[in-house]
Amino acid sequence: MELAKFLSIARGDAPADLLLRNGRVINVLTGEIVVADVAIAEDTIIGVGSGYSAATEIDLGGRYLCPGLIDAHVHIESSMVTPPQFARAVVPHGTTTVIADPHEIANVLGAAGIRYMLDSSAGLPLSVYINLPSCVPATHLGTAGAALEADDLLPMADLEQVIGLAEFMNVPGAVMGLPGALEKLVAFRGRVIDGHAPGVTGRWLQAYIGAGPASDHECTTVEEMLEKLRLGMVIFIRESTAAKNLRTLVPAITPYNSRRCAFCSDDRHPADLIDEGHIDHLLRLAIAEGLEPVTAIQMATLNAAEWFRLRDRGAIAPGKRADLVVFSNLKEFRAEMVFAGGKLVAREGQPVGEWEIKALDDTYARNTVKVNAEQLNLRIPALRDHIRAIEIIPDQIVTNQLITPVKKMGGLAVAAPERDLLKIVVVERHRGTGNVGAGFVRGLGLKRGAIAGSVGHDAHNLIVAGCDDDSMLTAIRAVQAMGGGLVATVEDSVVASVPLPIAGLMSEQPIETVRRQMDALINAVHELGSTLHDPFMTLSFLALEVIPHLKLTDRGLVDVDKFDFVPLFAD
């Protein structure tokens, strides 16, 4: 708002627009809880205290009032819905700002995908800031739909919604100063650069941090977190659908290092957003694990705002943006009222008012699955007696490398569902190259049939795992016919599916509709034998060649520790 108007109201010469009376204000700047009124005009906090008047007053009756929650790192595409539908899911839970990395859609559509996320986020009660994708493609070991170099990113760097550079996954590129990686780090020096360094330690970690990336959301142990904190990193504690790290890491938080920690959701599917929540879910978990409540709220608000240099939010103070959450129980955080920019936008878990949703022409984002199932060869000749298999670790996206006997039939290596050993293939779906990477995976638990999807982090090729080739080919055909999506099949029948026609990643349907489709799909997969909470989120990360230890791309099996291809068959 205009400074002259702010000053007039702040002096008491004019009334505020809204006064929230009798609140217990969480002061994240000092760690105090103060009984006070909060005066608001337009989208700005005028003052905190007493003696203010306003055209409209709401008596909070002693309920708590804290700043709007901030997600420090999220891929909106992983919610499988567009930004307006994502906002409908998270704002009623108290989230008013997210720092989004659109590298999912950028790996499919390039810069046009980033523009789609920016345009479709306009006018929402959720502030969507963008960190530009640093690794499109993630590495040279897979085939993405686009490539973004420093010169492609710089034209967007000064857009109002853009903060800096998103998770820098190419650790070898950064540490070795390789072309492409080096240019991006130099181009964004002085701006926020988020990191992504799972398991990196010692001199490599120090070189990586010195190169520019200064946050990390990939910690899985207390030791890893503490080493990164000691070297100056900001740690985003993650609790996603597939990677559940919060309970492990909370014991590492102390009064001395908590200001260097924030929360992030990274990737959460519709059911988890609707049933568990968003950053509020992480707050409840952290407090239940023993974290002091005001410290937890500080991590979910001020800490993230300061790291991303969002000086207009993150605290309840004069001149700050009026993003606020009202709740009653300090140890069981549940948003009862949510204000975004001074307006009531959610009450008791439901959106309030008309949210402006911009109409977009998204035809360029559709029909992105370019695969000819009839020309694919999924057969694997049995060259030796043992194979390298991907072994899933429950509730993690890191995997083990397993050496195990192969099942042979007619000279071919085939799935052995009786040993929970399924065939897995990644099919290039952007350029029609016909690339097929093939391997085996343990931990999905299917007894029959196959599952597949066009969501395969980060290149988002078509990934399918199954008990037999017929079911796998049926799944590939079904994903192509939908223009992208998730599917479960048995032989020549489609058992259940979720269409994701926008870039093969998102649906334009309401999140409740997508959630019902996902429920039916996961239930169908459970009937096929899997016991995983969300088999498709787990499946989607088996192609991510920057997460240890063994992954599969359309070009082959990748030993992530060696950052190179390895043969499927082992001695």
Side-chain angles (χ1 to χ4, degrees):
M1 67 186 297
E2 292 183 358
L3 180 57
K5 181 176 180 180
F6 169 84
L7 292 172
S8 174
I9 301 171
R11 290 193 306 263
D13 296 341
D17 297 332
L18 175 64
L19 186 64
L20 302 178
R21 296 177 60 84
N22 299 321
R24 285 190 279 180
V25 176
I26 308 294
N27 191 317
V28 295
L29 299 166
T30 63
E32 299 172 283
I33 300 176
V34 181
V35 176
D37 302 338
V38 177
I40 299 165
E42 297 182 8
D43 62 353
T44 302
I45 296 172
I46 299 297
V48 183
S50 61
Y52 293 99
S53 63
T56 301
E57 295 187 3
I58 299 176
D59 191 339
L60 300 183
R63 286 180 287 179
Y64 294 100
L65 189 66
C66 77
L69 307 182
I70 301 174
D71 189 338
H73 175 73
V74 63
H75 304 287
I76 293 175
E77 304 97 311
S78 290
S79 70
M80 299 191 290
V81 291
T82 57
Q85 288 299 320
F86 175 78
R88 285 188 64 248
V90 304
V91 170
H93 286 280
T95 302
T96 55
T97 300
V98 298
I99 315 302
D101 174 5
H103 77 204
E104 319 296 359
I105 196 169
N107 267 285
V108 180
L109 297 171
I114 300 172
R115 293 284 183 176
Y116 174 88
M117 299 302 283
L118 287 166
D119 291 344
S120 58
S121 300
L124 296 173
L126 177 71
S127 296
V128 178
Y129 287 94
I130 296 291
N131 265 345
L132 295 173
S134 64
C135 297
V136 178
T139 74
H140 63 286
L141 302 171
T143 307
L148 294 177
E149 303 299 337
D151 289 344
D152 301 309
L153 298 173
L154 283 173
M156 294 180 280
D158 293 324
L159 294 175
E160 184 178 358
Q161 286 174 265
V162 173
I163 291 176
L165 202 59
E167 52 179 330
F168 208 93
M169 296 182 290
N170 189 352
V171 174
V175 174
M176 302 302 294
L178 300 179
L182 187 63
E183 284 81 358
K184 290 173 185 174
L185 292 170
V186 170
F188 283 83
R189 179 169 288 178
R191 302 187 67 150
V192 172
I193 303 178
D194 277 340
H196 178 284
V200 180
T201 187
R203 290 185 177 180
W204 265 59
L205 178 61
Q206 301 208 35
Y208 177 75
I209 294 169
S215 68
D216 188 86
H217 61 276
E218 293 291 340
C219 294
T220 59
T221 68
V222 165
E223 292 75 20
E224 180 180 5
M225 177 175 167
L226 290 176
E227 181 179 7
K228 289 173 177 175
L229 283 168
R230 289 170 184 140
L231 295 175
M233 282 190 135
V234 172
I235 300 301
F236 303 155
I237 294 178
R238 173 178 60 187
E239 188 78 6
S240 68
T241 290
K244 302 185 186 300
N245 308 124
L246 186 146
R247 287 186 173 92
T248 299
L249 300 180
V250 163
I253 301 171
T254 72
Y256 298 101
N257 66 29
S258 65
R259 292 284 277 115
R260 302 289 294 173
C261 301
F263 291 117
C264 80
S265 69
D266 204 1
D267 304 275
R268 283 180 78 77
H269 269 180
D272 289 341
L273 288 173
I274 292 171
D275 293 347
E276 294 181 342
H278 190 224
I279 298 302
D280 62 322
H281 172 61
L282 277 67
L283 277 180
R284 289 189 293 273
L285 286 180
I287 293 167
E289 291 297 311
L291 189 61
E292 196 277 324
V294 173
T295 299
I297 292 170
Q298 188 181 58
M299 288 169 54
T301 56
L302 181 65
N303 294 6
E306 289 184 340
W307 167 243
F308 291 109
R309 306 175 188 177
L310 298 174
R311 297 180 177 89
D312 68 337
R313 65 196 66 208
I316 301 177
K320 300 291 187 183
R321 179 177 165 87
D323 291 348
L324 303 162
V325 184
V326 177
F327 62 102
S328 293
N329 190 331
L330 195 59
K331 293 187 177 182
E332 183 66 22
F333 186 101
R334 304 276 177 184
E336 296 170 18
M337 287 190 283
V338 182
F339 296 85
K343 296 180 179 179
L344 180 65
V345 294
R347 186 193 292 270
E348 303 298 339
Q350 296 298 320
V352 170
E354 296 295 325
W355 295 8
E356 177 186 349
I357 297 178
K358 185 177 180 180
L360 297 177
D361 178 4
D362 61 10
T363 53
Y364 66 92
R366 296 174 180 266
N367 300 313
T368 60
V369 180
K370 301 175 176 64
V371 172
N372 188 337
E374 311 314 317
Q375 295 181 356
L376 298 179
N377 179 11
L378 306 187
R379 292 178 296 178
I380 304 175
L383 302 181
R384 286 194 176 92
D385 294 331
H386 290 79
I387 53 170
R388 291 179 175 86
I390 301 169
E391 184 178 42
I392 293 168
I393 301 173
D395 295 331
Q396 301 296 334
I397 57 176
V398 296
T399 57
N400 287 326
Q401 180 175 162
L402 178 72
I403 305 297
T404 187
V406 64
K407 181 178 180 179
K408 299 180 182 180
M409 187 176 296
L412 300 176
V414 298
E418 68 277 6
R419 289 195 286 129
D420 190 16
L421 193 65
L422 306 184
K423 182 187 287 189
I424 181 171
V425 301
V426 176
V427 182
E428 192 278 317
R429 63 117 163 161
H430 307 291
R431 309 170 189 269
T433 62
N435 287 358
V436 178
F440 291 87
V441 58
R442 172 170 289 170
L444 283 174
L446 292 183
K447 304 300 183 186
R448 58 194 181 99
I451 60 174
S454 52
V455 179
H457 300 282
D458 278 336
H460 292 293
N461 287 307
L462 201 161
I463 184 168
V464 54
C467 302
D468 63 276
D469 287 4
D470 288 343
S471 297
M472 295 173 72
L473 285 168
T474 299
I476 292 169
R477 294 186 191 100
V479 171
Q480 183 183 16
M482 291 187 293
L486 311 176
V487 65
T489 60
V490 176
E491 297 178 348
D492 60 354
S493 298
V494 176
V495 178
S497 62
V498 179
L500 301 174
I502 299 175
L505 303 174
M506 294 179 287
S507 170
E508 72 277 29
Q509 296 296 313
I511 192 168
E512 295 85 356
T513 300
V514 177
R515 185 264 168 83
R516 288 192 295 270
Q517 294 171 337
M518 275 299 295
D519 283 351
L521 179 61
I522 291 174
N523 287 339
V525 178
H526 286 166
E527 290 181 2
L528 296 179
S530 179
T531 60
L532 293 178
H533 168 65
D534 190 332
F536 288 91
M537 184 67 88
T538 299
L539 178 71
S540 71
F541 280 103
L542 299 181
L544 185 48
E545 73 274 26
V546 296
I547 299 292
H549 293 279
L550 190 66
K551 294 295 189 290
L552 180 69
T553 76
D554 67 300
R555 296 184 57 202
L557 204 59
V558 176
D559 184 320
V560 182
D561 302 315
K562 297 178 179 177
F563 208 57
D564 202 356
F565 296 107
V566 291
L568 171 61
F569 289 91
D571 294 330

